[in-house]
Amino acid sequence: MNKRSGYAGRAALGAAAALSALTLVATGCGATTTGTGEEGGDASVEEGFKVGLLLPESKTARYEEFDKPLFEQALQELCENCELLYQNADQETSKQQSQAEAMLTDGVDVLVLDAVDSEAAAGIVNNAQSQGVPVVAYDRLAEGGVDYYVSFDNHRVGEVQAEALLTALEEEGGSGEPQIVMINGAPTDPNAGDFKDGAHGVFEGQVEIAAEYDTPEWSPDQAQTEMEQAITSVGADNIDGVYVANDGMAAGVVAALKSAGVDDLPPITGQDAEIAGVQRIISGEQYMTVYKAIEPEARTAAEMAVAAATGEEYQAGEGVELTEVEDNDGNTIPAVLIEPVPVTVDEVQDTVVADGFYTVEEICTEEYADTDFCQDQAE
């Protein structure tokens, strides 16, 4: 089957790139756009202050490799005298709560929180705000009425993944309604629900979902087990495509299919543009990933954090929309949502390579040197 033709021209990076133009506007009073109506802080950029960054896990490569260093770099550019306090919760809700409490005890002036569990994170948010410490929700919308939120358009992520899978299925042809398996993300992650809802909206009436799983902790090992169960219940030959919510779990899906003796892999989706995912794409083992430009997300979070800590009003720059989202408690939160970019083999060069996310040398290691992509780069 030819899974690698078409689907070109969809990698429009303008929206993500434009986010580097974000600005801060001082108002001389409290931040009037915060979701909870809190007035924000009175810290000083000149004197510096403490910023707490809480990330959820390390199984997904992006957090340690990109989010943390990019946030740190952006904060340093905005506030050279600021001190970053950083912790990773390793997917443990209680651990993240303890980390947040320790940061508050240590006197942080603002928290940037990527919640392990969005509902449980309301306790962190409420505790922080009771002490006059604003909270910026990063990548996942924590409950409790945070002050700002920056992420990607997560419903659109699911749509992009589903649209790509339908394109791949159309390219392969075949008769009858295609059967797919869905490997979704962690049920405790609100983004996972958005991805799933977006995908379901596209799949409705187009495919039969033969098996579907929500994957605790986004675990690649669990995704492999789920795919093995799907192969047993549906039959490997009856699976026309696999919707997988991220690249890490896609690795588990590929392993399960190979273990079952499937040589001609069905189209498989992913997300996060992990280096291993990109390498699977150029070698034909994975159809697509979703590239989410982390630099503008991290920079936006840093700008929001500085605004909230210093009592300034955050505003987006030209070409960037500052919108609003509503959390499950009915709080209206000022937000920036970045457009996701689908990446098949046809878009690798114009996205992750052109943006400097990876170099050709990082992608084209010895194992992948004979792929068409790497051969083309060598010419």
Side-chain angles (χ1 to χ4, degrees):
M1 288 184 279
N2 178 11
K3 301 184 179 71
R4 295 294 177 264
S5 62
Y7 201 56
R10 298 190 52 136
L13 290 173
L19 285 166
S20 60
L22 295 172
T23 59
L24 294 172
V25 178
T27 64
C29 61
T32 58
T33 59
T34 57
T36 60
E38 299 288 342
E39 288 196 345
D42 57 2
S44 165
V45 169
E46 289 74 20
E47 296 178 4
F49 51 88
K50 293 181 178 180
V51 178
L53 175 63
L54 295 161
L55 295 182
E57 47 102 347
S58 55
K59 289 183 179 179
T60 304
R62 58 168 284 190
Y63 292 114
E64 296 295 329
E65 292 184 15
F66 296 105
D67 294 83
K68 190 261 186 178
L70 287 170
F71 179 88
E72 188 171 23
Q73 177 183 338
L75 180 64
Q76 176 65 23
E77 293 172 359
L78 293 165
C79 181
E80 64 180 3
N81 293 322
C82 282
E83 177 185 353
L84 177 64
L85 282 65
Y86 170 68
Q87 292 289 340
N88 189 304
D90 296 318
Q91 201 62 52
E92 297 180 23
T93 300
S94 60
K95 184 175 182 179
Q96 188 168 66
Q97 290 172 335
S98 297
Q99 291 170 342
E101 289 172 3
M103 286 185 180
L104 291 169
T105 300
D106 203 20
V108 293
D109 295 278
V110 60
L111 283 177
V112 178
L113 171 63
D114 192 344
V116 173
D117 184 318
S118 62
E119 292 185 4
I124 295 174
V125 175
N126 293 333
N127 188 21
Q129 292 181 339
S130 71
Q131 300 179 46
V133 177
V135 179
V136 176
Y138 181 75
D139 205 58
R140 304 174 182 176
L141 181 57
E143 299 299 324
V146 297
D147 295 81
Y148 291 108
Y149 173 51
V150 58
S151 186
F152 294 84
D153 186 336
N154 295 313
H155 192 271
R156 181 63 188 144
V157 169
E159 292 178 338
V160 162
Q161 292 171 314
E163 289 165 359
L165 186 56
L166 290 183
T167 297
L169 294 171
E170 290 170 2
E171 290 170 0
E172 293 184 355
S175 59
E177 188 175 48
Q179 287 194 118
I180 70 167
V181 174
M182 291 189 69
I183 307 293
N184 303 309
T188 56
D189 182 349
N191 291 0
D194 289 338
F195 304 149
K196 180 167 66 172
D197 290 345
H200 271 281
V202 173
F203 286 145
E204 186 174 0
Q206 302 296 316
V207 298
E208 177 186 345
I209 300 172
E212 182 171 9
Y213 306 89
D214 293 332
T215 311
E217 300 182 359
W218 293 90
S219 168
D221 292 339
Q222 182 63 34
Q224 181 172 346
T225 299
E226 292 165 350
M227 193 64 208
E228 290 168 351
Q229 294 171 353
I231 292 169
T232 300
S233 62
V234 180
D237 293 339
N238 297 322
I239 297 172
D240 298 304
V242 189
Y243 169 91
V244 189
N246 78 352
D247 291 340
M249 295 193 303
V253 168
V254 169
L257 288 164
K258 286 185 174 182
S259 294
V262 179
D263 296 322
D264 192 4
L265 297 176
I268 297 167
T269 68
Q271 180 184 179
D272 293 327
E274 292 187 358
I275 186 70
V278 173
Q279 289 170 330
R280 284 193 297 273
I281 288 172
I282 66 171
S283 66
E285 292 184 341
Q286 184 173 324
Y287 181 70
M288 65 84 70
T289 187
V290 177
Y291 172 47
K292 302 191 296 188
I294 297 172
E295 191 280 332
E297 184 186 25
R299 172 164 289 277
T300 301
E303 291 174 339
M304 288 175 168
V306 171
T310 58
E312 296 179 334
E313 180 181 353
Y314 170 84
Q315 288 188 345
E318 183 178 355
V320 179
E321 180 183 4
L322 180 62
T323 185
E324 293 179 340
V325 298
E326 188 174 290
D327 67 14
N328 288 336
D329 296 324
N331 297 302
T332 300
I333 314 298
V336 170
L337 302 178
I338 305 170
E339 182 74 11
V341 179
V343 178
T344 67
V345 69
D346 295 323
E347 287 92 41
V348 170
Q349 174 62 44
D350 293 334
T351 55
V352 295
V353 174
D355 265 16
F357 203 62
Y358 301 121
T359 64
V360 170
E361 290 73 22
E362 288 173 321
I363 296 171
C364 294
T365 57
E366 183 178 356
E367 182 178 354
Y368 301 96
D370 291 334
T371 63
D372 289 343
F373 173 83
C374 294
Q375 289 293 308
D376 289 344
Q377 299 300 315
E379 293 178 357

